Amino acid sequence: MADDLGHRVTRHAVVIGGSLAGLLAARVLAEHAEKVTVVERDRFPAGQEPRPGVPQGRHLHVLIAGGQTALDELLPGFMEELRELGAPKVGVPEDMVQWQNGQWFRRTPATAHFYTGPRPQLEWLVRQRVLADPRIELVEGTETVGLTGDSSRVRGVRLRERGAGADKETRVLEADLVVDASGRSTKAADWLAGIGAEAPHEETLDTGLAYATRVYRSPAQDPGTDAVGYYVVPNPSQVYSGVVLPLGDGRHLVTLSGLRGDEPPTDEAAFEEYAKRLPHPVVSDWLARAEADSPVYGFRKTANIRRRYDRPGRRPAGFLATGDALCAFNPIYGQGMAVAALTAVALRKALADPKRGASTQRVQRALLDASRQAWDISAGADKKMPGATGDAARPGPADKVVGWYLRRVQERAAGDPVVGAPFRAALTLTAPLTALFAPAVARAVLFGPVHETPAEPPLRRDA
């Protein structure tokens, strides 16, 4: 597997999937290839509408700070264009009423910001920017049904047109590099088996979390609050979550979640009744004042899945995985879009590194490393939830000590800015998790008191 991708990619690269991860990978590969072909099962809508290939596209998506920086690096000026489209910018903790671990967060000045516009809006803008490159070709309405080559090297993909009246015969598209960006339901295990190669081991962790989402017209201006959103965060002793965030056009997305066996309903009346299970009625009260503007949409596929292409196995050169096809997270943590962008940045760096050969194995390891912190956050939190299943749910040797420390971090993050700022930086992927162990933070965590927090929802920013 010690091939030089930097040399091979100069002819033709194929990306399976026109997701955010796939489009951003194509953007990077176009810097090295004569031609990049993106193969997508769907036919893309002309505008900013949801599409079937993104089943969670109608649900809440946030673009956290790490993703913002990465997107601007990959597509200069991207964030300014997103703002011009009206995507709301939300500062935390200043703009949010947030409950977590039995505490209301103080609404001190924001140390992190995220964007909350509709997922189809952001995907449309990425698509417009990436597909404007003449080196990148899009093949729509076509599914990948296999690979060509053998266990030592992939040499292309087998494609079949989708839709009524389509030619069901397969055709071969030759390639020097194939990148799987087909999402968490990737068929890569079957594709690799079809050429005599081995699939990667899958690490899984599933809490059985399910969520349901509905769009609401915002209530009339409420002089009692200046909050733009609400967030009730689940934990092992309180497993329900409720989120209210602006879409930017006078509407809000409301998402409710619960665990296996007690999933939020998609029945419209029952949806609002379910909100009353939250530990405080602040979200339910907001719903009572708002006007529903859509059906309720449910979503159930929320397991954390990591495919370990970095481990030994009989796998071919010229095949990489990225996005959810490599590492998929529980969506409740809002990391997916950011990791797609950060992984594309890692791909760029790995292919351009002048000191080291761009072997398939090394590049794949770099892509996995780009998702490691998000995995540690998502899987680390989920393994503590009741009923979590999967091989990644087993506690590791250091989990007890680290868990004790992180519980103290969370207890103090709600009221102490010294702890809250690095806590948010780590969660938004702009600082490493080690920032939580910096001397000033460690002193506050180990020796400092738990600062007083509001007894009721802080409907006004801190003075």
Side-chain angles (χ1 to χ4, degrees):
M1 201 169 335
D3 59 302
D4 185 345
L5 289 179
H7 169 71
R8 296 280 184 175
V9 173
T10 54
R11 296 192 295 275
H12 186 210
V14 169
V15 178
I16 304 170
S19 62
L20 289 177
L23 290 168
L24 294 173
R27 166 71 185 89
V28 170
L29 293 172
E31 298 168 0
H32 300 269
E34 295 174 4
K35 179 181 178 183
V36 179
T37 302
V38 177
V39 179
E40 170 53 45
R41 296 175 76 250
D42 285 349
R43 294 193 180 277
F44 285 122
Q48 301 172 29
E49 292 86 35
R51 61 186 181 90
V54 187
Q56 77 278 30
R58 296 182 183 274
H59 297 274
L60 182 65
H61 283 77
V62 297
L63 181 62
I64 57 178
Q68 297 164 33
T69 302
L71 277 165
D72 261 343
E73 182 176 339
L74 295 163
L75 302 168
F78 181 88
M79 291 309 304
E80 180 59 34
E81 293 180 24
L82 189 64
R83 285 188 288 271
E84 290 173 357
L85 290 174
K89 182 180 181 181
V90 178
V92 286
E94 185 174 17
D95 294 334
M96 295 287 293
V97 172
Q98 179 172 331
W99 183 97
Q100 186 171 4
N101 295 317
Q103 297 175 302
W104 295 104
F105 273 61
R106 290 179 55 202
R107 291 179 58 196
T108 51
T111 64
H113 295 83
F114 56 84
Y115 286 81
T116 63
R119 161 68 184 255
Q121 179 185 73
L122 186 142
E123 185 175 297
W124 175 85
L125 183 56
V126 170
R127 196 161 63 238
Q128 296 297 110
R129 289 289 304 272
V130 170
L131 296 182
D133 189 328
R135 297 167 295 184
I136 300 174
E137 177 185 23
L138 174 65
V139 177
E140 299 177 272
T142 301
E143 62 185 335
T144 300
V145 296
L147 302 171
T148 64
D150 53 39
S151 61
S152 64
R153 169 166 285 282
V154 165
R155 301 190 182 280
V157 291
R158 297 187 184 278
L159 305 178
R160 181 170 58 208
E161 191 176 354
R162 301 180 73 233
D167 183 357
K168 298 303 181 181
E169 294 295 318
T170 63
R171 63 185 179 92
V172 171
L173 182 62
E174 295 183 352
D176 306 291
L177 172 66
V178 174
V179 177
D180 178 18
S182 60
R184 66 165 57 230
S185 298
T186 176
K187 300 295 190 296
D190 295 335
W191 301 337
L192 290 167
I195 58 171
E198 293 178 343
H201 169 70
E202 290 188 0
E203 293 178 319
T204 63
L205 197 163
D206 187 6
T207 64
L209 180 134
Y211 55 89
T213 298
R214 195 179 194 188
V215 177
Y216 283 80
R217 287 281 170 191
S218 311
Q221 189 68 31
D222 184 353
T225 183
D226 55 12
V228 301
Y230 301 84
Y231 188 16
V232 176
V233 184
N235 62 45
S237 61
Q238 192 295 111
V239 300
Y240 300 104
S241 172
V243 190
V244 180
L245 284 173
L247 286 173
D249 55 1
R251 300 184 302 159
H252 280 66
L253 269 182
V254 179
T255 294
L256 304 176
S257 73
L259 298 187
R260 187 186 295 110
D262 194 13
E263 298 89 347
T266 54
D267 174 83
E268 295 175 1
F271 176 81
E272 295 190 5
E273 188 67 24
Y274 190 90
K276 296 178 181 178
R277 302 188 187 196
L278 296 171
H280 192 280
V282 64
V283 172
S284 185
D285 290 348
W286 188 94
L287 290 173
R289 303 193 308 271
E291 177 187 353
D293 197 47
S294 81
V296 181
Y297 297 96
F299 191 72
R300 300 290 185 267
K301 294 182 179 180
T302 62
N304 301 279
I305 305 171
R306 181 161 63 169
R307 298 175 173 94
R308 299 304 300 266
Y309 284 95
D310 58 318
R311 293 182 177 175
R314 190 175 66 256
R315 283 185 285 277
F319 182 81
L320 298 171
T322 191
D324 283 359
L326 176 62
C327 193
F329 313 97
N330 184 339
I332 199 171
Y333 299 106
Q335 302 166 315
M337 297 194 300
V339 173
L342 288 165
T343 304
V345 171
L347 177 63
R348 171 185 272 175
K349 290 178 179 177
L351 291 178
D353 188 344
K355 297 180 180 179
R356 306 173 67 187
S359 71
T360 299
Q361 187 178 46
R362 190 179 70 79
V363 174
Q364 186 67 82
R365 189 178 295 116
L367 302 187
L368 189 69
D369 286 346
S371 65
R372 191 174 304 279
Q373 180 164 322
W375 173 269
D376 289 344
I377 292 169
S378 180
D382 276 1
K383 69 172 58 176
K384 302 180 182 71
M385 297 298 284
T389 61
D391 56 357
R394 294 190 295 269
D399 281 354
K400 187 173 182 179
V401 173
V402 173
W404 174 85
Y405 183 86
L406 292 179
R407 280 193 297 274
R408 294 179 68 88
V409 168
Q410 291 179 2
E411 288 171 353
R412 288 155 178 79
D416 185 353
V418 172
V419 180
F423 178 66
R424 284 182 286 277
L427 292 180
T428 57
L429 308 180
T430 57
L433 287 172
T434 52
L436 298 176
F437 299 87
V441 182
R443 280 195 298 272
V445 170
L446 295 174
F447 308 114
V450 176
H451 288 224
E452 184 178 356
T453 56
E456 293 295 327
L459 300 179
R460 291 284 181 188
R461 297 179 178 90
D462 278 18

